[in-house]
Amino acid sequence: MTAHRVRPGPVAVLLGGAAALLLVTAAHLSYGRSDVGPGELLGLLGGAADADARSVLLGGRLPRTLAGLVSGAALATAGCLLQSSVRNALASPDTLGVTAGGYLAVTVGAITGLSTGDLPRGALAFTGGLLAAALVHAVAGGARGRPAHLVLAGMSVMLALSSATAVLVVLFQEETGAVFFWGHGSLVVADSGRSLAAVPLLAAGLLGGLLLARSLDILGTGDETARGLGVNVGRVRLTAVVLSVLLTACAVSVTGPIGFVGLAAPHLVRLAGVRRHAALLPGAALWGATLLLAADLLARVTSPTGNEVPAGVVTALFGAPLFLWLARRLPSDPASPGTAVPGRRRYPYGPLLAGGAVAVCALLAAGLVLGDIGVPVGELPRLLLGGGDALLRGVVLDYRLPRLLVAAVAGALLAVAGGIVQTVSRNPLADLTVMGVSGGAGFGAALVLVALPSVPYGALPFAALLGGAAAFALTYGLSLRRGSVAPERLVLVGIGTFALTTAATNYLVTGARFQVAQALTWLSGSTYARDTTDLSVLAVASAVGLPLLLLAFRRLDLLALGEDTPRTLGLPLERTRLAVLGLAVALAAGAVAVVGTVAFVGLVAPHAARMLVGSRAHRLLPVAGLLGAALMITADTVGRTVIAPAEIPSGLLAALIGTPYFVWQLRRGGRAG
């Protein structure tokens, strides 16, 4: 006989969620560094608590618990509405960019003086989230866009908005000081007044979702069926998205941007067998509040004496594996891009290569003369030869030249590695950041700095290499189904790997006591204070990788032709694919070990090179290397000069340049689909 798994009914799920929420709430209120425990909590409920216990509970713990309840319930309900309205299992306020849009809007409000209270902050978050949702919808191709493109568009918009927010925080540190701490997604900054002000909005959003429950149930059968049953699909979808943005704004205004609660809670309820939205929405709200309070409690328990880890880091640490699992289950899309199509325009390779080299040299010269201390252009040759003013010579030779060369070589390595990955995977959306390799390499380097501070600096590249290789193995292994890797699944799984490794690095860094400043460098990507020691690491990586790259040119061209042609020509396909991808991981890990997790250089440079010279590897990769070097030199120079003597991390500026290009490519793919 076949055993059938018995799933609890909706009533049991709701009762179980309520019971779990009560237990976690009691534990959350009872735990703390003071001696106030469950006994004092019961005394407070009975009106018999002493003044100290009352002060601790009402002044510190209760506001924090109330914020977790409101924010968790709001995020979970918002995620449920998004997943149902767009019929996408990976949809949530953070994966579709709504949370990042709200955070950016609040940051802009703090800078301009518009954010003067709780309701204005919520209104700004709502406006920013709504605009971000509209941008994601447009980038993904509108109503005809593919589900995978929707999540890719959301993640790219999220990265762009997050980078813009980080740059604003650097530029306006005084105005955004409080917002920056709040922006990590923490319950530490909770305020009872703000939480209570959000309760009516939470109730209105949940009630609106319940009024849409029957229409959302029918929408799950498909647009055509829903229209045939009298459902106005466009109106229902728009209303659900607006309600989800409203709920996300509530959460962002209370606790800041917190990820993955809106993804995890609805799926937990669905896994229990609940499908009807009349029970799904309140069930998700109960479990969302439970998850967020449990994450905050775990953060406090695991760091009782050190730096407290924000709850948003913990939710990402546990939510990213769920994203990976869901991305792996994504069905293959026959319309997904299989080959990085060459650009229409072609230019002579030799003159273009020479012109690119001249442009890189010109950018290097501009980087040497620009900065907080101006260097006359006419003095530059003399200074480079060891003459001229001693102060200017020190600025040029000891400070600017090494870091500019580090930026150039690191950018070239990242671009070449990205070109290899795009060619092998035949996926125009792939690069080593999107595939999680950069995040894994950054985690490896940060792990050595934080956990093993006495390890010599020379061990960092090896740690980054191991971390990047492990992240790539995870991404490739989870993407492999029935002997093949679907291009969009590879990128989605890579995004999940990147989120997982980034969350692990954040958890490691925020809870550490030693070497935190150095470890944070890997999170933002920076060429600050890089010297000849860093340059030597990159030189070794380049010297080892260049001969191997020259040998791989012909094999890369064959791999770009697909599965059958290389086998026909006698090429050991899987072994060759893994070998060249291993080379790409090694090149990228060497760059990440020095400059950190710089996003999208490996995407932008190969794409631009392909549009200029085509897809042949011996032409594509050298031009991509020059473009990557130019991009990183520009980011370093701009970051040094805009707010001199302070700096903007070059990784943030590179992301601001690269992410719009990624969005443009997605938009082109959405139109083609």
Side-chain angles (χ1 to χ4, degrees), residues 625-653:
L626 286 175
L627 293 174
L631 177 59
M632 282 298 293
I633 292 171
T634 302
D636 177 83
T637 303
V638 174
R640 267 190 305 109
T641 56
V642 169
I643 56 172
E647 294 192 15
I648 301 174
S650 53
L652 294 179
L653 291 175

Side-chain angles (χ1 to χ4, degrees), residues 382-461:
R382 183 184 306 175
L383 295 172
L384 291 174
L385 294 174
D389 181 77
L391 174 62
L392 295 180
R393 185 170 64 249
V395 169
V396 171
L397 296 180
D398 299 334
Y399 175 64
R400 293 181 185 172
L401 183 60
R403 64 179 290 172
L404 284 169
L405 291 176
V406 164
V409 178
L413 291 178
L414 291 171
V416 170
I420 293 174
V421 170
Q422 290 177 9
T423 300
V424 173
S425 65
R426 306 191 311 279
N427 187 348
L429 302 178
D431 83 328
L432 288 166
T433 298
V434 175
M435 292 179 63
V437 175
S438 297
F443 174 71
L447 181 63
V448 169
L449 282 174
V450 174
L452 303 171
S454 60
V455 171
Y457 179 82
L460 289 183

Side-chain angles (χ1 to χ4, degrees), residues 194-217:
R194 187 177 299 124
S195 300
L196 292 174
V199 169
L201 297 178
L202 170 61
L206 183 57
L207 178 60
L210 291 174
L211 293 176
L212 291 176
R214 183 177 177 276
S215 298
L216 291 173
D217 291 338

Side-chain angles (χ1 to χ4, degrees), residues 44-69:
L44 177 64
L45 295 176
D50 58 40
D52 291 339
R54 184 181 297 273
S55 176
V56 170
L57 290 170
L58 296 182
R61 296 185 190 174
L62 185 60
R64 187 168 184 160
T65 302
L66 182 60
L69 291 171

Side-chain angles (χ1 to χ4, degrees), residues 81 84-86 137 143 208-209 211-213 215-216 219 223 226-227 230-244:
L81 288 171
S84 299
S85 60
V86 301
H137 179 73
L211 293 176
L212 291 176
S215 298
L216 291 173
L219 189 62
D223 288 0
R227 289 191 182 97
V231 175
N232 190 323
V233 173
R235 182 183 302 170
V236 170
R237 183 167 286 138
L238 177 61
T239 304
V241 170
V242 171
L243 287 175
S244 68

